Each structure stands twice: as structure tokens, then as C-alpha cells.
Amino acid sequence: MKKLIGLIALSSFFLAGCYDNVVFKDAKIPTVMGIENDDDGDGFHSLFIMHTPIGTSQGIQEAATEIISSDGDDFLELFTNVEQKASGGVDLSKLYVSVLDDDYAKTHFEEFINQLTFAQRTSSTGQIVFVDGKPSDALAIRDDMVPLVDDYVTELIRSGIGQNFIPDTNIAKVHRIMLDEGQDNIIPTFEVSKQKDLWRTLGVSLMNGTENTGTTLSPEKTELLMAFMGDVGKTYWNIESGDLEGDGILVKEVRLDKTFGEIDENGVLQVDLDLELGVLYRSFNGTTIAKLNGEGSEQEEILSEMYTELANEVFGTLYKANCDALGIGRDLIAYHPETWKQLDEKNYYTSVSINPNVQVNVLKTN
Amino acid sequence: MNDNRKITPFHLYFVLLQTQLGIGIVTMQQAILAPAGKSGWMSILIGGLVAQLVIFIIWGTIKKFPNLSTSEVFTKLVGRGIGKFINIIYAVFFFVVVVISLYWMGDVMNFWILPKTPFWLIVLVGAMLLLYTSRNDLRSHVSMFGISTVLLPVLILFFCQAFNASDARYLMPITEVSANGILQGVFVAFFMLLGFETLLFYMAETKYETPSNVLKVATFANLTATLIYTFLMVVTLVSFSSNELVLFNQPIVYLARTFRIGISDHYEVIFLGMWLWLVFTSMMSYSFLLTRRIQNIFNDRISISKIVSYTVALLFFVTIGINSSVKIMQFQTFAIWWGLIAVVAIPLLLFVISLFKKKGAEQS
């Protein structure tokens, strides 16, 4: 009896592993995926890009990229077709970047995010980015500098997030904000530079709920918006106009104060945003450095005015796109629920008037 | 029972804690969020207080009979016939709890880690482990409960990562949910915290100097379990927007999947490994009590090995028989009503009777 029980116990343990085994040698593990509307406009086209080791005559393993492309009427069909093309199956658990055609994103953003969120074997930490044009073109770049396009794209996104010139848009975060009635997503958007055949950052696309508004915020404005969102990176901000042209700052400290007023008789809610930036100032001009000593220096005033003006443009663009990237609605739901109840849940952002004020404090000069 | 085979109050802490922490770690959030919403964490804290009341009642009854086994206490208080009937009620209750645990263990593993493996096979693995462990006495279980407790700080540290991408605003406003919603949440939380009621049986298997030692240990175990469940609920609430939370069956597993440390892309597998261990120790405790109740019902005439073999076989077949979400819901509804009798009504009844039989008890 004991032997029989032991046999059943052992077989059950081993059997449990048999059903879900994965032969990694044969499996296709893509790191980058592109998805776009197909040429007819009635279905989708996708590309899954993965590394493939190649044996050389010297026996050294080299890597190349392999692309599996597929068409389908919906995401499920698309994926089934890809699975059929890959003999060992496709494992999306290492998918780091999903590149979406911005036209596709205008109509199928929600469906796509939901599919990646609820699919069992996908990574929730993969990034979502848009490209201006077709991902199949953007991922087909061939250049001596870019032998492996998947490496190039993943490194570009990783360093962009690390240096805070693009926001972290992992699937889990995008899904969370997409379903949050008090906040909207901003998605990094790229284009392929015609001259160099490399990707260039266009900035961020502004979303309104599940809808891609089609409005893009420039990289310079994106960096300032991200400072308002509390992201301090290692990005060096170049000053490209005015008296301080050619100099630059490195933001080290960010402090944001939000003040919510009452809804006035016109139905407008005034919100004051006071952003304090502690920066390292870099200049190649000795006179500028000399003037920076002491509190309330002229440069600090110039910088404060310059960034306040830029912030007004940023929030003006967000207002036109009805994109609440900062989560003003979330603040209202959490801390001012009575005010929130008086606003239209779908279009509350159009009733909010944001008054940004940026105060730049130079902590140190070069 | 031989005093040398009894456990110490220190051991009792691990036994009670591990019995309380089980499938609820994964299933609790969704069950409480439905009625209590953002105030789910409050429901768990209040649920812990209600559980503490039951602990007081059980302790108040058993401490009057320091040298008797629980079955003897039943006989002393309500007579042999009713005492046996109460044992049957508890045997059914423990059976139902183990079936529910086995079902959810199989279901969660099937969904998240072993999608191609048949459900019955995962349940069979669980049943085989129960078959092996339920034959041993309580003292042999204690070391496993102790090892399992080491996982708890790891689990807490693991979920602290969630605060990197959390938003505390999702907890606000706390006044949004009605008192009725919070109370419904308390009802659910009370059942998720189950395990404290096993004090009724484990107290008699504990060697203690003063009864207050046992009370302190049981209170501390209940406090630990309540705080761990509350922590997991808060972590869940700050990590998902409310519209998103309703879409997930097991949000805490999904949350583990979103972690990024660098060495793995699927932290839910690591989390579920820890959870499996906790579920198993909880099932082990209930299975131990179940087989001892059955042995007691048959007046110790059947060997424990036979009882364990037949019971585990029955547990396996009943669990695989529940092969749909509708059936498990019906089964859980039955468990709740049966649980109200076993966890609240009987301890309360025994306590009231013990008040009247105080004198007799002191003499015994």
C-alpha cells in the first residue's frame, strides 16, 4: 500500500511538470513587437522581432534578428497565426517594447492594452511606444550602427526612461491610468529620421482615456511636464533661446505645490501649480556665472519666467487635447470629492484652469 | 495526551498563525473589495477584532478544563451524545475548509502557472502531500509551521516593492463607502481570517503554565494574521485604480507580475511559490484536525493511517467534482453557514453552558 501511494505521489509530481514544459531551444522569445493597421484597413499586421544565435565556421555564436510577421482580423487571430508560423511556440514573457502605429492606436489602443494585460504569458513590465508611420518601416531600419534593431530599440527606450526624457509607460501603468477617470496617459512617440535611418524622439502623444488625441508634446515640453509629475532625471536641459542661450541646467530637486480653488460662477475651477526647481547651472560664459552668485539672481528670474511661459504652453496643449496627464482629477476625487461631484466626469479637464508658476533656484554652478 | 507530545505556547503561535494564513492571501482582496471598496482594509481590521472576541470565548471555555481533551470537554459540558454530534459538525466543517483550499490551490495554480496541466493533477499533488503529513502528530508539524513563518517577512518585503509605483490617492476618500458596505466586508474578512477557531482543539494539545499564556499567544497570532491581510489589502488598493480592480480575480497575483527587479520577468511565480507553502500549512492543520475528529467519532477504533487514507481520497474526489465556479460558490455559501455554526454558535453555546457548570468544572 505504502509503495503504491509513493508511486502515485511521485508520478503526480512528475506529471505536473510534463504538461507545461517549454523547450526553450525551439521557442521564439521576441523582445520587440510592432503592430499596425494592414493596407486594406480591415485587419492588423504585426511583427515579432527576436534574437537568433547563428553558428559560424569558427564555431562562435553570433546573433541576428529574426522577424515573424502575421496578419489577422483581431489580436487573437493575429497571435494564433504567429504561433502557427513559429514551430516551438511564441513566448511573450520577455517582450520589452510594443511599437504601435499611431493610427492603429487611435482606434485600438484599449483593445491592445487589455489583451496584453490579461494574456497569461505576457510581461506586464513591457513598454508601449507609438511611431509616426508604420512600425514595419520603423523596425526595418538597416544601418551599420544598428545591426540588431531589437537591441537598438530596447536600449533607446531604457536609456530614455533612465534619463527621464521619456516617461515609463509599462503596460501595468498604462492600463491603470487608462481606466482611471481622474488621469490620462502620455505615450512616448518616435519617428524614423530619414537622413540617418535612426529613431528620433517626437515627444509624447496625449491620450484622453482610451483615445489617442493625435496631439504630440515636444521633447522639451515633455521634460518640463515630467518635472511637474515629480520625475527628476539626469537630463540636461539646454537653453535654446534668450540671453542664456547655449547654457543648460540639470534639475536636481523638484517640489510641487497644488492649490485648488472653488468652482466660480462660470463653472471654472482654478488650480495653482507652483513648481520649485533646484538646478545645477552650466555655462561656458564667465560673466553669467559671476552674476549667478547670491539669491534671486537675474538668471534665476530669467529662467523662472522662461519655464513659467513654457509651462503655460504645456498646459495649454494639454487643455486643448483634454488630457489630464498630471492627474488633477485624481486629486479632486481623493481630496476634494465634493468639487469633483460638481464636474462632468468625462470632460472635467475642460473646466479646469491651470495657473503654473515655475521658480528656478540655482543650487550650484559649474 | 502524553504531555511530552504536547506543543508549547510558542509552537501554538506558529500553528494558529499558519492556520489563519492560507488561500485568503490571494482570494481575499476581490471578495472584500466587492462590498467594502476602498474601505476594505477597515473591514479586515474590524474582522480581526470580531475574531478576537471568538478567541476570548473559546479560551474562556477551555481554560476551565485544563487537563481534558476537547472531546472530553464537549462530553463534560453537553453529554456524550451531543458531544459526538458536535465533533461531527467540526469534522464536516474542517472537511469543507480543506476542499475549498484544495480547489483554490488547483484553480490558481492552473490559471497562473500550470495552464496546460489538468486541474485534477494539481489537486492530486496537494492531496498526496496531505496524505503524507496528516499521519504525523502535531509536534512533527510544528517545525514546518515554523519554517513557513519565516516566509512572512519575505512576503512583506516582496510586496513593499509595490510602493515604488503606487498612488496613495487611490485610498481616498475613505468615507466613500457606506457603513453597510464595510459591515458586509467585515463578514467576508471574518471568514478569510478563519483558523483562530482551531484554538478550541489546539489549546487542549498545548502544555502551558497559566491559561493567560495561551490567550496572549492566540491574540498575537490573530493580530499578526490580521495585520498581514490588512497590509496586502492596502498594497492592492494603492496599486490599482478602482475601475481596474474590479477586472481582476486575483489582483495581488497580477500586482506581483508587475514587479521589476531585473532577475525575473514573472515575479508572480515566486509569489505563488510562497503562497503555495502557506496554503499547504493551513490545509495541513485543518486536515490534521479533521482526521483526529473522525478518529474520535469512531472512538479510536480505526487506525489513523486508514482514516487519513480514506479521508484524503474523499477530499480529492469531492474537490475534483467541484469543477466549475458556480459549484464552488455554492459550496462556499454552504461553508459560510456551516462555519457560522462551528465558529460562532457552538463556541458561544459551550461558553454559556460552561458558566453554569463552573463549579463542576473546577471539581474536575
Side-chain angles (χ1 to χ4, degrees):
Chain A
M1 184 67 176
K2 276 185 185 170
K3 280 182 185 170
L4 180 69
I5 291 170
L7 195 67
I8 298 172
L10 272 177
S11 351
S12 61
F13 278 113
F14 290 126
L15 264 175
C18 287
Y19 284 93
D20 283 284
N21 76 84
V22 176
V23 181
F24 282 104
K25 188 165 69 71
D26 303 328
K28 306 289 182 196
I29 307 173
T31 47
V32 175
M33 171 182 149
I35 190 159
E36 63 201 25
N37 289 325
D38 66 10
D39 293 335
D40 306 335
D42 56 356
F44 315 128
H45 178 69
S46 74
L47 306 102
F48 293 84
I49 303 183
M50 59 218 82
H51 261 48
T52 312
I54 302 169
T56 64
S57 54
Q58 287 82 26
I60 301 164
Q61 296 272 302
E62 283 182 356
T65 47
E66 182 186 346
I67 297 179
I68 299 178
S69 58
S70 154
D71 293 299
D73 289 338
D74 54 41
F75 196 86
L76 193 68
E77 192 184 321
L78 200 81
F79 193 70
T80 312
N81 291 343
V82 170
E83 285 257 290
Q84 280 171 357
K85 284 189 179 181
S87 55
V90 175
D91 181 355
L92 292 182
S93 62
K94 296 278 177 192
L95 188 68
Y96 184 70
V97 184
S98 297
V99 185
L100 272 61
D101 166 5
D102 60 354
D103 278 339
Y104 169 85
K106 277 177 190 153
T107 46
H108 294 94
F109 183 75
E110 184 181 12
E111 184 193 353
F112 180 80
I113 299 296
N114 281 338
Q115 289 288 352
L116 281 197
T117 301
F118 294 107
Q120 272 170 327
R121 287 277 171 183
T122 52
S123 164
S124 304
T125 57
Q127 301 289 319
I128 305 286
V129 299
F130 295 165
V131 287
D132 183 20
K134 297 264 184 203
S136 49
D137 297 333
L139 293 171
I141 52 170
R142 287 281 180 272
D143 191 277
D144 290 343
M145 288 167 69
V146 190
L148 299 168
V149 69
D150 56 337
D151 268 3
Y152 170 71
V153 172
T154 48
E155 272 315 304
L156 181 76
I157 308 291
R158 275 204 180 106
S159 64
I161 295 168
Q163 293 176 24
N164 270 47
F165 66 80
I166 58 169
D168 177 354
T169 46
N170 64 71
I171 292 158
K173 184 180 170 189
V174 170
H175 187 255
R176 183 181 83 186
I177 295 177
M178 183 180 84
L179 294 179
D180 186 348
E181 66 270 44
Q183 196 168 3
D184 292 312
N185 275 302
I186 49 172
I187 308 287
T189 304
F190 297 86
E191 67 170 0
V192 178
S193 157
K194 296 279 184 297
Q195 293 84 21
K196 291 182 182 172
D197 205 17
L198 289 174
W199 281 33
R200 194 174 75 85
T201 315
L202 279 180
V204 288
S205 287
L206 306 181
M207 305 291 296
N208 177 17
T210 57
E211 180 200 337
N212 178 9
T213 62
T215 309
T216 310
L217 209 60
S218 69
E220 188 193 15
K221 289 177 183 170
T222 303
E223 284 169 2
L224 184 60
L225 175 62
M226 286 174 66
F228 272 95
M229 292 162 83
D231 286 336
V232 191
K234 299 168 191 163
T235 329
Y236 180 72
W237 296 7
N238 277 314
I239 300 165
E240 286 166 1
S241 60
D243 295 343
L244 306 176
E245 190 178 348
D247 294 352
I249 57 171
L250 188 66
V251 181
K252 296 299 281 183
E253 291 170 7
V254 174
R255 219 190 85 182
L256 178 68
D257 278 333
K258 294 178 195 166
T259 313
F260 291 83
E262 296 292 325
I263 297 175
D264 64 21
E265 62 272 14
N266 300 319
V268 177
L269 174 73
Q270 299 291 333
V271 180
D272 295 334
L273 300 178
D274 294 309
L275 180 74
E276 241 179 79
L277 298 176
V279 303
L280 301 184
Y281 193 91
R282 192 176 177 192
S283 172
F284 301 99
N285 182 340
T287 323
T288 313
I289 298 294
K291 283 181 184 172
L292 276 164
N293 294 327
E295 275 185 31
S297 67
E298 195 184 329
Q299 277 71 20
E300 281 180 342
E301 272 179 42
I302 294 170
L303 285 169
S304 300
E305 267 178 40
M306 195 175 86
Y307 285 112
T308 301
E309 199 179 313
L310 191 64
N312 274 311
E313 288 173 28
V314 169
F315 288 104
T317 312
L318 290 173
Y319 177 84
K320 279 180 196 157
N322 197 7
C323 170
D324 182 8
L326 217 55
I328 297 292
R330 176 50 44 198
D331 279 322
L332 290 171
I333 295 168
Y335 307 117
H336 308 276
E338 292 308 317
T339 309
W340 172 253
K341 279 175 196 161
Q342 294 173 48
L343 297 169
D344 172 17
E345 211 172 276
K346 288 270 177 212
N347 297 306
Y348 69 89
Y349 200 62
T350 53
S351 309
V352 176
S353 170
I354 292 181
N355 313 308
N357 179 41
V358 182
Q359 174 63 47
V360 178
N361 300 319
V362 177
L363 304 171
K364 212 174 170 185
T365 62
N366 60 338
Chain B
M1 183 191 241
N2 179 357
D3 264 11
N4 292 332
R5 298 309 298 164
K6 282 191 171 183
I7 57 171
T8 64
F10 181 65
H11 294 151
L12 181 67
Y13 169 75
F14 296 118
V15 174
L16 291 175
L17 178 63
Q18 291 303 324
T19 313
Q20 281 193 269
L21 297 172
I23 53 161
I25 289 175
V26 160
T27 58
M28 166 202 65
Q29 293 84 15
Q30 194 57 27
I32 296 178
L33 279 167
K38 289 172 188 170
S39 307
W41 60 274
M42 276 195 257
S43 295
I44 300 175
L45 288 176
I46 302 170
L49 279 176
V50 180
Q52 189 57 38
L53 280 178
V54 178
I55 289 172
F56 276 125
I57 291 170
I58 291 171
W59 173 79
T61 311
I62 302 293
K63 73 166 184 170
K64 290 170 189 162
F65 308 93
N67 299 316
L68 300 183
S69 71
T70 308
S71 297
E72 287 165 340
V73 174
F74 293 163
T75 309
K76 204 96 190 157
L77 289 174
V78 291
R80 199 174 180 78
I82 300 176
K84 192 149 275 186
F85 182 64
I86 290 177
N87 261 328
I88 293 171
I89 290 177
Y90 277 106
V92 172
F93 175 63
F94 295 147
F95 185 87
V96 167
V97 172
V98 181
V99 167
I100 291 171
S101 301
L102 269 176
Y103 175 87
W104 283 114
M105 184 200 82
D107 188 71
V108 171
M109 294 303 286
N110 205 202
F111 183 81
W112 290 99
I113 298 183
L114 301 167
K116 291 176 190 163
T117 305
F119 172 74
W120 65 264
L121 189 54
I122 302 170
V123 175
L124 183 65
V125 173
M128 282 295 144
L129 287 168
L130 284 182
L131 185 68
Y132 177 71
T133 53
S134 300
R135 289 158 192 258
N136 303 325
D137 67 3
L138 185 58
R139 246 189 119 82
S140 323
H141 288 177
V142 167
S143 53
M144 193 157 168
F145 290 140
I147 295 168
S148 191
T149 307
V150 176
L151 285 177
L152 298 176
V154 180
L155 191 75
I156 290 166
L157 281 175
F158 182 81
F159 278 104
C160 279
Q161 288 180 76
F163 293 115
N164 289 335
S166 66
D167 191 335
R169 293 177 298 179
Y170 290 133
L171 277 179
M172 309 293 285
I174 53 170
T175 50
E176 196 185 55
V177 181
S178 66
N180 190 30
I182 294 175
L183 283 178
Q184 284 178 39
V186 171
F187 187 72
V188 179
F190 178 75
F191 280 96
M192 289 293 170
L193 283 164
L194 279 187
F196 55 84
E197 79 288 355
T198 56
L199 180 68
L200 186 64
F201 299 94
Y202 286 133
M203 190 169 166
E205 308 223 15
T206 308
K207 190 178 169 183
Y208 52 86
E209 285 175 11
T210 58
S212 62
N213 284 350
V214 174
L215 179 66
K216 277 180 205 162
V217 162
T219 305
F220 193 51
N222 183 43
L223 181 71
T224 314
T226 307
L227 290 180
I228 288 173
Y229 277 125
T230 309
F231 168 76
L232 293 175
M233 177 57 94
V234 170
V235 162
T236 308
L237 285 168
V238 297
S239 303
F240 299 99
S241 53
S242 4
N243 293 341
E244 191 183 23
L245 265 177
V246 294
L247 302 175
F248 297 119
N249 283 329
Q250 285 114 19
I252 198 86
V253 189
Y254 182 77
L255 177 62
R257 189 173 144 173
T258 64
F259 291 162
R260 277 183 296 177
I261 319 173
I263 50 169
S264 169
D265 286 309
H266 285 276
Y267 280 92
E268 80 273 16
V269 178
I270 294 170
F271 162 60
L272 286 175
M274 289 192 270
W275 173 76
L276 206 60
W277 188 285
L278 294 170
V279 170
F280 186 70
T281 48
S282 177
M283 281 198 298
M284 216 168 98
S285 172
Y286 276 112
S287 171
F288 170 81
L289 291 174
L290 165 64
T291 48
R292 270 51 181 189
R293 287 310 92 218
I294 295 173
Q295 193 181 31
N296 197 272
I297 290 164
F298 289 104
N299 295 328
D300 298 343
R301 280 197 296 261
I302 307 173
S303 73
I304 196 68
S305 324
K306 272 189 185 167
I307 290 174
V308 169
S309 304
Y310 293 129
T311 309
V312 170
L314 193 62
L315 282 167
F316 170 71
F317 286 113
V318 172
T319 308
I320 60 167
I322 306 169
N323 54 4
S324 71
S325 51
V326 177
K327 279 189 189 168
I328 189 67
M329 288 304 158
Q330 289 168 345
F331 201 75
Q332 286 183 160
T333 310
F334 166 75
I336 286 172
W337 290 110
W338 201 266
L340 280 176
I341 298 169
V343 180
V344 182
I346 293 177
L348 197 61
L349 181 76
L350 293 175
F351 179 69
V352 172
I353 295 170
S354 75
L355 292 177
F356 293 109
K357 291 205 172 179
K358 194 179 171 189
K359 201 176 167 187
E362 275 166 3
Q363 283 167 358
S364 81

